[in-house]
Amino acid sequence: MTDAVTPRLREMRWWDIDPVLELEKELFPEDTWSRGMFWSELAHARGPEATRRYVVAETDERIVGYAGLAASGDLADVQTIAVARDHWGTGLGGRLLAELLSAATAFECGEVMLECRIDNIRAQKLYERFGFEAIGFRRGYYQPGNVDALVMRLTTQSDSGPAAGSTSERETEIHG
Ligand SMILES: CC(C)(COP(=O)(O)OP(=O)(O)OC[C@H]1O[C@@H](n2cnc3c(N)ncnc32)[C@H](O)[C@@H]1OP(=O)(O)O)[C@@H](O)C(=O)NCCC(=O)NCCS
């Protein structure tokens, strides 16, 4: 990694969209989110009616990761999660996911879903480490590449919410 400082997590704001878009283009070249999509998500991330939680990870120099979760009733969805390539394997993906799962608990969601490209083994391992389980596929979900999505789910049974990072007994499923 190039930055000496351990990245700090904080709420994502509109002025983070430009640097986040730079990472987004690099890390999701085939299905890059637009500026408008991030604006739309952040529009639902504040106030008493908030249904979104978006965070960035930053060093003293730059933003090196971001993640977002949407809540709807009892169900939460991991909308996105990404870490700059030079920070992979440092545990930052796990920290971001733990933050989203805390948000799911705060939103009182009993289930967290996500979709993940079928060929994204690294991400799937991360999700499995947190107790997510594969529950199905979405054929051709990622276009134009026509790549299937693995759907994963984490079911949180306890009042204390999802565990952060342990391969636990908890019941689960997927998304990405
Ligand atoms: C998927 C992604 C978010 C993972 O981020 P990450 O920061 O590498 O995740 P972590 O470091 O927490 O965990 C990854 C691996 O590093 C290992 N790791 C964790 N902490 C570590 C540390 N301190 N030192 C060394 N390795 C460590 C973990 O054990 C994990 O290994 P595993 O795959 O065997 O479980 C990242 O690869 C990424 O942004 N990919 C591109 C975008 C993407 O695919 N997003 C997901 C869409 S579904």
PDB file of all heavy atoms in Angstrom, residues 27-28 80-84 87-96 114-117 120-127 129-130 142 175-176, ligand 1:
ATOM      1  N   LEU A  27     -12.590  -0.022 -10.806  1.00  0.00           N
ATOM      2  CA  LEU A  27     -12.917  -1.294 -10.160  1.00  0.00           C
ATOM      3  C   LEU A  27     -14.149  -1.978 -10.746  1.00  0.00           C
ATOM      4  O   LEU A  27     -14.308  -3.189 -10.619  1.00  0.00           O
ATOM      5  CB  LEU A  27     -13.109  -1.075  -8.657  1.00  0.00           C
ATOM      6  CG  LEU A  27     -11.845  -0.592  -7.930  1.00  0.00           C
ATOM      7  CD1 LEU A  27     -12.160  -0.107  -6.530  1.00  0.00           C
ATOM      8  CD2 LEU A  27     -10.804  -1.717  -7.884  1.00  0.00           C
ATOM      9  N   PHE A  28     -15.023  -1.188 -11.367  1.00  0.00           N
ATOM     10  CA  PHE A  28     -16.211  -1.767 -12.009  1.00  0.00           C
ATOM     11  C   PHE A  28     -16.295  -1.270 -13.455  1.00  0.00           C
ATOM     12  O   PHE A  28     -17.243  -0.561 -13.823  1.00  0.00           O
ATOM     13  CB  PHE A  28     -17.488  -1.367 -11.253  1.00  0.00           C
ATOM     14  CG  PHE A  28     -17.532  -1.812  -9.820  1.00  0.00           C
ATOM     15  CD1 PHE A  28     -17.286  -0.919  -8.782  1.00  0.00           C
ATOM     16  CD2 PHE A  28     -17.834  -3.131  -9.490  1.00  0.00           C
ATOM     17  CE1 PHE A  28     -17.343  -1.318  -7.454  1.00  0.00           C
ATOM     18  CE2 PHE A  28     -17.890  -3.542  -8.164  1.00  0.00           C
ATOM     19  CZ  PHE A  28     -17.639  -2.635  -7.144  1.00  0.00           C
ATOM     20  N   THR A  80     -23.123  -1.537  -2.857  1.00  0.00           N
ATOM     21  CA  THR A  80     -21.791  -1.499  -3.446  1.00  0.00           C
ATOM     22  C   THR A  80     -20.749  -1.594  -2.341  1.00  0.00           C
ATOM     23  O   THR A  80     -21.022  -1.217  -1.187  1.00  0.00           O
ATOM     24  CB  THR A  80     -21.589  -0.196  -4.266  1.00  0.00           C
ATOM     25  OG1 THR A  80     -20.330  -0.282  -4.968  1.00  0.00           O
ATOM     26  CG2 THR A  80     -21.590   1.038  -3.386  1.00  0.00           C
ATOM     27  N   ILE A  81     -19.583  -2.118  -2.701  1.00  0.00           N
ATOM     28  CA  ILE A  81     -18.437  -2.115  -1.782  1.00  0.00           C
ATOM     29  C   ILE A  81     -17.183  -2.218  -2.637  1.00  0.00           C
ATOM     30  O   ILE A  81     -17.124  -3.033  -3.558  1.00  0.00           O
ATOM     31  CB  ILE A  81     -18.533  -3.256  -0.733  1.00  0.00           C
ATOM     32  CG1 ILE A  81     -17.339  -3.208   0.228  1.00  0.00           C
ATOM     33  CG2 ILE A  81     -18.646  -4.610  -1.385  1.00  0.00           C
ATOM     34  CD1 ILE A  81     -17.533  -4.083   1.474  1.00  0.00           C
ATOM     35  N   ALA A  82     -16.219  -1.374  -2.357  1.00  0.00           N
ATOM     36  CA  ALA A  82     -15.015  -1.357  -3.185  1.00  0.00           C
ATOM     37  C   ALA A  82     -13.832  -0.787  -2.408  1.00  0.00           C
ATOM     38  O   ALA A  82     -13.996   0.118  -1.591  1.00  0.00           O
ATOM     39  CB  ALA A  82     -15.251  -0.524  -4.443  1.00  0.00           C
ATOM     40  N   VAL A  83     -12.666  -1.338  -2.713  1.00  0.00           N
ATOM     41  CA  VAL A  83     -11.414  -0.927  -2.078  1.00  0.00           C
ATOM     42  C   VAL A  83     -10.373  -0.700  -3.181  1.00  0.00           C
ATOM     43  O   VAL A  83     -10.277  -1.513  -4.114  1.00  0.00           O
ATOM     44  CB  VAL A  83     -10.927  -2.030  -1.102  1.00  0.00           C
ATOM     45  CG1 VAL A  83      -9.509  -1.761  -0.627  1.00  0.00           C
ATOM     46  CG2 VAL A  83     -11.878  -2.154   0.087  1.00  0.00           C
ATOM     47  N   ALA A  84      -9.623   0.378  -3.086  1.00  0.00           N
ATOM     48  CA  ALA A  84      -8.555   0.644  -4.058  1.00  0.00           C
ATOM     49  C   ALA A  84      -7.601  -0.542  -4.091  1.00  0.00           C
ATOM     50  O   ALA A  84      -7.271  -1.110  -3.050  1.00  0.00           O
ATOM     51  CB  ALA A  84      -7.802   1.915  -3.673  1.00  0.00           C
ATOM     52  N   HIS A  87      -4.900  -1.351  -1.659  1.00  0.00           N
ATOM     53  CA  HIS A  87      -5.271  -1.608  -0.261  1.00  0.00           C
ATOM     54  C   HIS A  87      -5.943  -2.972  -0.094  1.00  0.00           C
ATOM     55  O   HIS A  87      -6.391  -3.292   0.997  1.00  0.00           O
ATOM     56  CB  HIS A  87      -6.199  -0.500   0.251  1.00  0.00           C
ATOM     57  CG  HIS A  87      -5.460   0.757   0.622  1.00  0.00           C
ATOM     58  ND1 HIS A  87      -5.223   1.142   1.917  1.00  0.00           N
ATOM     59  CD2 HIS A  87      -4.878   1.685  -0.152  1.00  0.00           C
ATOM     60  CE1 HIS A  87      -4.546   2.275   1.939  1.00  0.00           C
ATOM     61  NE2 HIS A  87      -4.330   2.627   0.689  1.00  0.00           N
ATOM     62  N   TRP A  88      -6.027  -3.747  -1.165  1.00  0.00           N
ATOM     63  CA  TRP A  88      -6.638  -5.069  -1.044  1.00  0.00           C
ATOM     64  C   TRP A  88      -5.830  -5.925  -0.069  1.00  0.00           C
ATOM     65  O   TRP A  88      -4.595  -5.823  -0.002  1.00  0.00           O
ATOM     66  CB  TRP A  88      -6.657  -5.777  -2.408  1.00  0.00           C
ATOM     67  CG  TRP A  88      -7.684  -5.238  -3.352  1.00  0.00           C
ATOM     68  CD1 TRP A  88      -8.421  -4.105  -3.226  1.00  0.00           C
ATOM     69  CD2 TRP A  88      -8.052  -5.826  -4.612  1.00  0.00           C
ATOM     70  NE1 TRP A  88      -9.229  -3.946  -4.310  1.00  0.00           N
ATOM     71  CE2 TRP A  88      -9.029  -4.973  -5.173  1.00  0.00           C
ATOM     72  CE3 TRP A  88      -7.663  -6.958  -5.311  1.00  0.00           C
ATOM     73  CZ2 TRP A  88      -9.614  -5.250  -6.417  1.00  0.00           C
ATOM     74  CZ3 TRP A  88      -8.243  -7.236  -6.546  1.00  0.00           C
ATOM     75  CH2 TRP A  88      -9.218  -6.383  -7.081  1.00  0.00           C
ATOM     76  N   GLY A  89      -6.531  -6.785   0.658  1.00  0.00           N
ATOM     77  CA  GLY A  89      -5.863  -7.717   1.571  1.00  0.00           C
ATOM     78  C   GLY A  89      -5.396  -7.099   2.870  1.00  0.00           C
ATOM     79  O   GLY A  89      -4.707  -7.741   3.647  1.00  0.00           O
ATOM     80  N   THR A  90      -5.813  -5.875   3.131  1.00  0.00           N
ATOM     81  CA  THR A  90      -5.410  -5.222   4.385  1.00  0.00           C
ATOM     82  C   THR A  90      -6.531  -5.265   5.419  1.00  0.00           C
ATOM     83  O   THR A  90      -6.386  -4.728   6.510  1.00  0.00           O
ATOM     84  CB  THR A  90      -5.051  -3.743   4.149  1.00  0.00           C
ATOM     85  OG1 THR A  90      -6.232  -3.045   3.733  1.00  0.00           O
ATOM     86  CG2 THR A  90      -3.968  -3.592   3.090  1.00  0.00           C
ATOM     87  N   GLY A  91      -7.657  -5.853   5.061  1.00  0.00           N
ATOM     88  CA  GLY A  91      -8.793  -5.895   5.972  1.00  0.00           C
ATOM     89  C   GLY A  91      -9.765  -4.745   5.788  1.00  0.00           C
ATOM     90  O   GLY A  91     -10.788  -4.675   6.474  1.00  0.00           O
ATOM     91  N   LEU A  92      -9.481  -3.856   4.826  1.00  0.00           N
ATOM     92  CA  LEU A  92     -10.366  -2.709   4.650  1.00  0.00           C
ATOM     93  C   LEU A  92     -11.747  -3.125   4.136  1.00  0.00           C
ATOM     94  O   LEU A  92     -12.770  -2.588   4.574  1.00  0.00           O
ATOM     95  CB  LEU A  92      -9.727  -1.683   3.701  1.00  0.00           C
ATOM     96  CG  LEU A  92     -10.522  -0.398   3.474  1.00  0.00           C
ATOM     97  CD1 LEU A  92     -10.891   0.268   4.799  1.00  0.00           C
ATOM     98  CD2 LEU A  92      -9.729   0.570   2.593  1.00  0.00           C
ATOM     99  N   GLY A  93     -11.781  -4.090   3.220  1.00  0.00           N
ATOM    100  CA  GLY A  93     -13.084  -4.580   2.744  1.00  0.00           C
ATOM    101  C   GLY A  93     -13.919  -5.083   3.906  1.00  0.00           C
ATOM    102  O   GLY A  93     -15.118  -4.814   4.002  1.00  0.00           O
ATOM    103  N   GLY A  94     -13.273  -5.790   4.816  1.00  0.00           N
ATOM    104  CA  GLY A  94     -13.975  -6.287   6.001  1.00  0.00           C
ATOM    105  C   GLY A  94     -14.467  -5.171   6.892  1.00  0.00           C
ATOM    106  O   GLY A  94     -15.573  -5.229   7.434  1.00  0.00           O
ATOM    107  N   ARG A  95     -13.675  -4.134   7.038  1.00  0.00           N
ATOM    108  CA  ARG A  95     -14.100  -3.000   7.872  1.00  0.00           C
ATOM    109  C   ARG A  95     -15.311  -2.301   7.259  1.00  0.00           C
ATOM    110  O   ARG A  95     -16.255  -1.904   7.949  1.00  0.00           O
ATOM    111  CB  ARG A  95     -12.954  -1.998   8.019  1.00  0.00           C
ATOM    112  CG  ARG A  95     -11.821  -2.486   8.919  1.00  0.00           C
ATOM    113  CD  ARG A  95     -10.698  -1.473   8.983  1.00  0.00           C
ATOM    114  NE  ARG A  95     -11.139  -0.193   9.538  1.00  0.00           N
ATOM    115  CZ  ARG A  95     -10.556   0.979   9.280  1.00  0.00           C
ATOM    116  NH1 ARG A  95      -9.516   1.040   8.472  1.00  0.00           N
ATOM    117  NH2 ARG A  95     -11.015   2.080   9.813  1.00  0.00           N
ATOM    118  N   LEU A  96     -15.278  -2.139   5.937  1.00  0.00           N
ATOM    119  CA  LEU A  96     -16.410  -1.490   5.263  1.00  0.00           C
ATOM    120  C   LEU A  96     -17.673  -2.341   5.393  1.00  0.00           C
ATOM    121  O   LEU A  96     -18.764  -1.827   5.676  1.00  0.00           O
ATOM    122  CB  LEU A  96     -16.084  -1.256   3.781  1.00  0.00           C
ATOM    123  CG  LEU A  96     -15.079  -0.145   3.493  1.00  0.00           C
ATOM    124  CD1 LEU A  96     -14.546  -0.245   2.065  1.00  0.00           C
ATOM    125  CD2 LEU A  96     -15.719   1.238   3.705  1.00  0.00           C
ATOM    126  N   LEU A 114     -27.233  -9.502  -1.069  1.00  0.00           N
ATOM    127  CA  LEU A 114     -26.308  -8.888  -2.024  1.00  0.00           C
ATOM    128  C   LEU A 114     -26.197  -9.765  -3.259  1.00  0.00           C
ATOM    129  O   LEU A 114     -26.525 -10.954  -3.226  1.00  0.00           O
ATOM    130  CB  LEU A 114     -24.936  -8.660  -1.386  1.00  0.00           C
ATOM    131  CG  LEU A 114     -24.136  -9.862  -0.890  1.00  0.00           C
ATOM    132  CD1 LEU A 114     -23.348 -10.487  -2.031  1.00  0.00           C
ATOM    133  CD2 LEU A 114     -23.195  -9.450   0.223  1.00  0.00           C
ATOM    134  N   GLU A 115     -25.752  -9.145  -4.352  1.00  0.00           N
ATOM    135  CA  GLU A 115     -25.436  -9.886  -5.559  1.00  0.00           C
ATOM    136  C   GLU A 115     -23.976  -9.675  -5.871  1.00  0.00           C
ATOM    137  O   GLU A 115     -23.438  -8.596  -5.649  1.00  0.00           O
ATOM    138  CB  GLU A 115     -26.283  -9.406  -6.751  1.00  0.00           C
ATOM    139  CG  GLU A 115     -27.718  -9.844  -6.689  1.00  0.00           C
ATOM    140  CD  GLU A 115     -28.667  -8.674  -6.722  1.00  0.00           C
ATOM    141  OE1 GLU A 115     -28.240  -7.595  -7.152  1.00  0.00           O
ATOM    142  OE2 GLU A 115     -29.808  -8.831  -6.274  1.00  0.00           O
ATOM    143  N   CYS A 116     -23.364 -10.723  -6.377  1.00  0.00           N
ATOM    144  CA  CYS A 116     -21.926 -10.684  -6.647  1.00  0.00           C
ATOM    145  C   CYS A 116     -21.672 -11.415  -7.953  1.00  0.00           C
ATOM    146  O   CYS A 116     -22.273 -12.467  -8.194  1.00  0.00           O
ATOM    147  CB  CYS A 116     -21.217 -11.387  -5.492  1.00  0.00           C
ATOM    148  SG  CYS A 116     -19.430 -11.386  -5.629  1.00  0.00           S
ATOM    149  N   ARG A 117     -20.797 -10.850  -8.793  1.00  0.00           N
ATOM    150  CA  ARG A 117     -20.436 -11.549 -10.028  1.00  0.00           C
ATOM    151  C   ARG A 117     -19.972 -12.957  -9.677  1.00  0.00           C
ATOM    152  O   ARG A 117     -19.210 -13.150  -8.735  1.00  0.00           O
ATOM    153  CB  ARG A 117     -19.314 -10.813 -10.748  1.00  0.00           C
ATOM    154  CG  ARG A 117     -19.754  -9.550 -11.471  1.00  0.00           C
ATOM    155  CD  ARG A 117     -18.545  -8.833 -12.034  1.00  0.00           C
ATOM    156  NE  ARG A 117     -17.917  -9.621 -13.080  1.00  0.00           N
ATOM    157  CZ  ARG A 117     -18.002  -9.322 -14.377  1.00  0.00           C
ATOM    158  NH1 ARG A 117     -18.662  -8.256 -14.779  1.00  0.00           N
ATOM    159  NH2 ARG A 117     -17.411 -10.087 -15.275  1.00  0.00           N
ATOM    160  N   ASN A 120     -16.321 -13.419  -9.154  1.00  0.00           N
ATOM    161  CA  ASN A 120     -15.631 -12.567  -8.165  1.00  0.00           C
ATOM    162  C   ASN A 120     -15.408 -13.354  -6.870  1.00  0.00           C
ATOM    163  O   ASN A 120     -16.091 -13.160  -5.854  1.00  0.00           O
ATOM    164  CB  ASN A 120     -16.448 -11.299  -7.901  1.00  0.00           C
ATOM    165  CG  ASN A 120     -15.654 -10.234  -7.164  1.00  0.00           C
ATOM    166  OD1 ASN A 120     -14.601 -10.528  -6.602  1.00  0.00           O
ATOM    167  ND2 ASN A 120     -16.156  -9.021  -7.162  1.00  0.00           N
ATOM    168  N   ILE A 121     -14.438 -14.230  -6.924  1.00  0.00           N
ATOM    169  CA  ILE A 121     -14.195 -15.142  -5.800  1.00  0.00           C
ATOM    170  C   ILE A 121     -13.711 -14.381  -4.564  1.00  0.00           C
ATOM    171  O   ILE A 121     -14.086 -14.697  -3.434  1.00  0.00           O
ATOM    172  CB  ILE A 121     -13.153 -16.217  -6.201  1.00  0.00           C
ATOM    173  CG1 ILE A 121     -13.629 -16.959  -7.456  1.00  0.00           C
ATOM    174  CG2 ILE A 121     -12.916 -17.195  -5.047  1.00  0.00           C
ATOM    175  CD1 ILE A 121     -14.972 -17.630  -7.321  1.00  0.00           C
ATOM    176  N   ARG A 122     -12.885 -13.382  -4.776  1.00  0.00           N
ATOM    177  CA  ARG A 122     -12.355 -12.617  -3.643  1.00  0.00           C
ATOM    178  C   ARG A 122     -13.498 -12.004  -2.823  1.00  0.00           C
ATOM    179  O   ARG A 122     -13.532 -12.111  -1.593  1.00  0.00           O
ATOM    180  CB  ARG A 122     -11.431 -11.518  -4.166  1.00  0.00           C
ATOM    181  CG  ARG A 122     -10.746 -10.768  -3.050  1.00  0.00           C
ATOM    182  CD  ARG A 122      -9.841  -9.662  -3.570  1.00  0.00           C
ATOM    183  NE  ARG A 122      -9.104  -9.106  -2.456  1.00  0.00           N
ATOM    184  CZ  ARG A 122      -7.960  -9.588  -2.009  1.00  0.00           C
ATOM    185  NH1 ARG A 122      -7.399 -10.623  -2.606  1.00  0.00           N
ATOM    186  NH2 ARG A 122      -7.360  -9.059  -0.966  1.00  0.00           N
ATOM    187  N   ALA A 123     -14.435 -11.379  -3.511  1.00  0.00           N
ATOM    188  CA  ALA A 123     -15.570 -10.771  -2.807  1.00  0.00           C
ATOM    189  C   ALA A 123     -16.416 -11.843  -2.119  1.00  0.00           C
ATOM    190  O   ALA A 123     -16.845 -11.675  -0.973  1.00  0.00           O
ATOM    191  CB  ALA A 123     -16.408  -9.957  -3.788  1.00  0.00           C
ATOM    192  N   GLN A 124     -16.634 -12.942  -2.811  1.00  0.00           N
ATOM    193  CA  GLN A 124     -17.461 -14.004  -2.211  1.00  0.00           C
ATOM    194  C   GLN A 124     -16.832 -14.527  -0.917  1.00  0.00           C
ATOM    195  O   GLN A 124     -17.527 -14.808   0.060  1.00  0.00           O
ATOM    196  CB  GLN A 124     -17.629 -15.149  -3.211  1.00  0.00           C
ATOM    197  CG  GLN A 124     -18.577 -14.806  -4.352  1.00  0.00           C
ATOM    198  CD  GLN A 124     -18.469 -15.779  -5.501  1.00  0.00           C
ATOM    199  OE1 GLN A 124     -18.246 -16.966  -5.314  1.00  0.00           O
ATOM    200  NE2 GLN A 124     -18.631 -15.271  -6.712  1.00  0.00           N
ATOM    201  N   LYS A 125     -15.504 -14.659  -0.910  1.00  0.00           N
ATOM    202  CA  LYS A 125     -14.823 -15.120   0.300  1.00  0.00           C
ATOM    203  C   LYS A 125     -15.023 -14.128   1.438  1.00  0.00           C
ATOM    204  O   LYS A 125     -15.209 -14.510   2.590  1.00  0.00           O
ATOM    205  CB  LYS A 125     -13.326 -15.296   0.032  1.00  0.00           C
ATOM    206  CG  LYS A 125     -12.972 -16.584  -0.666  1.00  0.00           C
ATOM    207  CD  LYS A 125     -11.473 -16.638  -0.837  1.00  0.00           C
ATOM    208  CE  LYS A 125     -10.930 -18.044  -0.810  1.00  0.00           C
ATOM    209  NZ  LYS A 125      -9.457 -18.049  -0.811  1.00  0.00           N
ATOM    210  N   LEU A 126     -14.955 -12.855   1.095  1.00  0.00           N
ATOM    211  CA  LEU A 126     -15.179 -11.827   2.113  1.00  0.00           C
ATOM    212  C   LEU A 126     -16.576 -11.973   2.709  1.00  0.00           C
ATOM    213  O   LEU A 126     -16.752 -11.980   3.929  1.00  0.00           O
ATOM    214  CB  LEU A 126     -14.997 -10.436   1.484  1.00  0.00           C
ATOM    215  CG  LEU A 126     -15.360  -9.237   2.344  1.00  0.00           C
ATOM    216  CD1 LEU A 126     -14.444  -9.127   3.557  1.00  0.00           C
ATOM    217  CD2 LEU A 126     -15.289  -7.945   1.521  1.00  0.00           C
ATOM    218  N   TYR A 127     -17.573 -12.112   1.840  1.00  0.00           N
ATOM    219  CA  TYR A 127     -18.954 -12.222   2.321  1.00  0.00           C
ATOM    220  C   TYR A 127     -19.136 -13.491   3.164  1.00  0.00           C
ATOM    221  O   TYR A 127     -19.804 -13.467   4.197  1.00  0.00           O
ATOM    222  CB  TYR A 127     -19.927 -12.223   1.150  1.00  0.00           C
ATOM    223  CG  TYR A 127     -19.853 -10.977   0.301  1.00  0.00           C
ATOM    224  CD1 TYR A 127     -19.915 -11.049  -1.083  1.00  0.00           C
ATOM    225  CD2 TYR A 127     -19.713  -9.719   0.882  1.00  0.00           C
ATOM    226  CE1 TYR A 127     -19.843  -9.908  -1.868  1.00  0.00           C
ATOM    227  CE2 TYR A 127     -19.636  -8.580   0.115  1.00  0.00           C
ATOM    228  CZ  TYR A 127     -19.693  -8.675  -1.269  1.00  0.00           C
ATOM    229  OH  TYR A 127     -19.617  -7.550  -2.036  1.00  0.00           O
ATOM    230  N   ARG A 129     -16.948 -14.984   4.911  1.00  0.00           N
ATOM    231  CA  ARG A 129     -16.279 -14.784   6.200  1.00  0.00           C
ATOM    232  C   ARG A 129     -17.221 -14.106   7.190  1.00  0.00           C
ATOM    233  O   ARG A 129     -17.133 -14.295   8.396  1.00  0.00           O
ATOM    234  CB  ARG A 129     -15.018 -13.945   5.963  1.00  0.00           C
ATOM    235  CG  ARG A 129     -14.131 -13.727   7.150  1.00  0.00           C
ATOM    236  CD  ARG A 129     -12.659 -13.554   6.736  1.00  0.00           C
ATOM    237  NE  ARG A 129     -12.434 -12.568   5.699  1.00  0.00           N
ATOM    238  CZ  ARG A 129     -12.201 -11.284   5.910  1.00  0.00           C
ATOM    239  NH1 ARG A 129     -12.220 -10.817   7.138  1.00  0.00           N
ATOM    240  NH2 ARG A 129     -11.961 -10.467   4.902  1.00  0.00           N
ATOM    241  N   PHE A 130     -18.152 -13.314   6.693  1.00  0.00           N
ATOM    242  CA  PHE A 130     -19.103 -12.611   7.550  1.00  0.00           C
ATOM    243  C   PHE A 130     -20.390 -13.403   7.746  1.00  0.00           C
ATOM    244  O   PHE A 130     -21.330 -12.909   8.326  1.00  0.00           O
ATOM    245  CB  PHE A 130     -19.424 -11.227   6.966  1.00  0.00           C
ATOM    246  CG  PHE A 130     -18.394 -10.185   7.346  1.00  0.00           C
ATOM    247  CD1 PHE A 130     -17.153 -10.177   6.716  1.00  0.00           C
ATOM    248  CD2 PHE A 130     -18.644  -9.238   8.320  1.00  0.00           C
ATOM    249  CE1 PHE A 130     -16.194  -9.230   7.069  1.00  0.00           C
ATOM    250  CE2 PHE A 130     -17.695  -8.289   8.670  1.00  0.00           C
ATOM    251  CZ  PHE A 130     -16.454  -8.293   8.044  1.00  0.00           C
ATOM    252  N   TYR A 142     -25.361  -9.195 -15.012  1.00  0.00           N
ATOM    253  CA  TYR A 142     -24.423  -8.119 -15.339  1.00  0.00           C
ATOM    254  C   TYR A 142     -24.285  -7.994 -16.852  1.00  0.00           C
ATOM    255  O   TYR A 142     -23.789  -8.901 -17.522  1.00  0.00           O
ATOM    256  CB  TYR A 142     -23.052  -8.388 -14.694  1.00  0.00           C
ATOM    257  CG  TYR A 142     -23.111  -8.390 -13.186  1.00  0.00           C
ATOM    258  CD1 TYR A 142     -23.145  -9.577 -12.474  1.00  0.00           C
ATOM    259  CD2 TYR A 142     -23.161  -7.198 -12.469  1.00  0.00           C
ATOM    260  CE1 TYR A 142     -23.223  -9.582 -11.091  1.00  0.00           C
ATOM    261  CE2 TYR A 142     -23.240  -7.191 -11.084  1.00  0.00           C
ATOM    262  CZ  TYR A 142     -23.268  -8.379 -10.405  1.00  0.00           C
ATOM    263  OH  TYR A 142     -23.353  -8.379  -9.028  1.00  0.00           O
ATOM    264  N   HIS A 175     -25.898 -11.510  -2.635  1.00  0.00           N
ATOM    265  CA  HIS A 175     -26.053 -10.489  -3.726  1.00  0.00           C
ATOM    266  C   HIS A 175     -24.733  -9.788  -4.079  1.00  0.00           C
ATOM    267  O   HIS A 175     -23.860  -9.827  -3.236  1.00  0.00           O
ATOM    268  CB  HIS A 175     -27.127  -9.483  -3.281  1.00  0.00           C
ATOM    269  CG  HIS A 175     -27.023  -8.087  -3.781  1.00  0.00           C
ATOM    270  ND1 HIS A 175     -27.964  -7.517  -4.581  1.00  0.00           N
ATOM    271  CD2 HIS A 175     -26.078  -7.175  -3.548  1.00  0.00           C
ATOM    272  CE1 HIS A 175     -27.594  -6.268  -4.819  1.00  0.00           C
ATOM    273  NE2 HIS A 175     -26.472  -6.048  -4.215  1.00  0.00           N
ATOM    274  N   GLY A 176     -24.507  -8.919  -5.144  1.00  0.00           N
ATOM    275  CA  GLY A 176     -23.220  -8.264  -5.395  1.00  0.00           C
ATOM    276  C   GLY A 176     -23.278  -7.121  -6.180  1.00  0.00           C
ATOM    277  O   GLY A 176     -23.224  -6.459  -6.930  1.00  0.00           O
TER     278      GLY A 176
HETATM  279  C1  LIG B   1     -13.836  -7.339  -2.731  1.00  0.00           C
HETATM  280  C2  LIG B   1     -13.007  -6.254  -2.066  1.00  0.00           C
HETATM  281  C3  LIG B   1     -13.928  -5.160  -1.570  1.00  0.00           C
HETATM  282  C4  LIG B   1     -12.271  -6.891  -0.862  1.00  0.00           C
HETATM  283  O1  LIG B   1     -11.530  -5.852  -0.212  1.00  0.00           O
HETATM  284  P1  LIG B   1     -10.256  -6.180   0.679  1.00  0.00           P
HETATM  285  O2  LIG B   1      -9.875  -4.913   1.349  1.00  0.00           O
HETATM  286  O3  LIG B   1      -9.235  -6.869  -0.134  1.00  0.00           O
HETATM  287  O4  LIG B   1     -10.895  -7.167   1.742  1.00  0.00           O
HETATM  288  P2  LIG B   1     -10.185  -7.735   3.043  1.00  0.00           P
HETATM  289  O5  LIG B   1      -8.746  -7.339   3.076  1.00  0.00           O
HETATM  290  O6  LIG B   1     -11.037  -7.401   4.219  1.00  0.00           O
HETATM  291  O7  LIG B   1     -10.284  -9.277   2.829  1.00  0.00           O
HETATM  292  C5  LIG B   1      -9.734  -9.842   1.679  1.00  0.00           C
HETATM  293  C6  LIG B   1      -8.761 -10.891   2.078  1.00  0.00           C
HETATM  294  O8  LIG B   1      -7.651 -10.304   2.732  1.00  0.00           O
HETATM  295  C7  LIG B   1      -7.394 -11.028   3.946  1.00  0.00           C
HETATM  296  N1  LIG B   1      -6.964 -10.105   4.994  1.00  0.00           N
HETATM  297  C8  LIG B   1      -7.732  -9.450   5.884  1.00  0.00           C
HETATM  298  N2  LIG B   1      -6.989  -8.708   6.705  1.00  0.00           N
HETATM  299  C9  LIG B   1      -5.728  -8.886   6.334  1.00  0.00           C
HETATM  300  C10 LIG B   1      -4.480  -8.375   6.792  1.00  0.00           C
HETATM  301  N3  LIG B   1      -4.409  -7.522   7.829  1.00  0.00           N
HETATM  302  N4  LIG B   1      -3.348  -8.780   6.157  1.00  0.00           N
HETATM  303  C11 LIG B   1      -3.415  -9.618   5.126  1.00  0.00           C
HETATM  304  N5  LIG B   1      -4.562 -10.123   4.632  1.00  0.00           N
HETATM  305  C12 LIG B   1      -5.699  -9.775   5.235  1.00  0.00           C
HETATM  306  C13 LIG B   1      -8.688 -11.639   4.339  1.00  0.00           C
HETATM  307  O9  LIG B   1      -8.461 -12.831   5.077  1.00  0.00           O
HETATM  308  C14 LIG B   1      -9.309 -11.902   3.031  1.00  0.00           C
HETATM  309  O10 LIG B   1      -8.891 -13.156   2.621  1.00  0.00           O
HETATM  310  P3  LIG B   1      -9.969 -14.223   2.198  1.00  0.00           P
HETATM  311  O11 LIG B   1     -10.313 -13.849   0.804  1.00  0.00           O
HETATM  312  O12 LIG B   1      -9.240 -15.493   2.284  1.00  0.00           O
HETATM  313  O13 LIG B   1     -11.119 -14.094   3.154  1.00  0.00           O
HETATM  314  C15 LIG B   1     -11.945  -5.701  -3.022  1.00  0.00           C
HETATM  315  O14 LIG B   1     -11.193  -6.768  -3.537  1.00  0.00           O
HETATM  316  C16 LIG B   1     -12.516  -4.880  -4.172  1.00  0.00           C
HETATM  317  O15 LIG B   1     -12.756  -3.685  -4.038  1.00  0.00           O
HETATM  318  N6  LIG B   1     -12.731  -5.501  -5.346  1.00  0.00           N
HETATM  319  C17 LIG B   1     -13.227  -4.764  -6.540  1.00  0.00           C
HETATM  320  C18 LIG B   1     -14.664  -4.335  -6.357  1.00  0.00           C
HETATM  321  C19 LIG B   1     -15.532  -5.510  -6.042  1.00  0.00           C
HETATM  322  O16 LIG B   1     -15.415  -6.569  -6.626  1.00  0.00           O
HETATM  323  N7  LIG B   1     -16.487  -5.316  -5.085  1.00  0.00           N
HETATM  324  C20 LIG B   1     -17.415  -6.351  -4.666  1.00  0.00           C
HETATM  325  C21 LIG B   1     -18.608  -6.379  -5.571  1.00  0.00           C
HETATM  326  S1  LIG B   1     -19.638  -7.763  -5.201  1.00  0.00           S
END
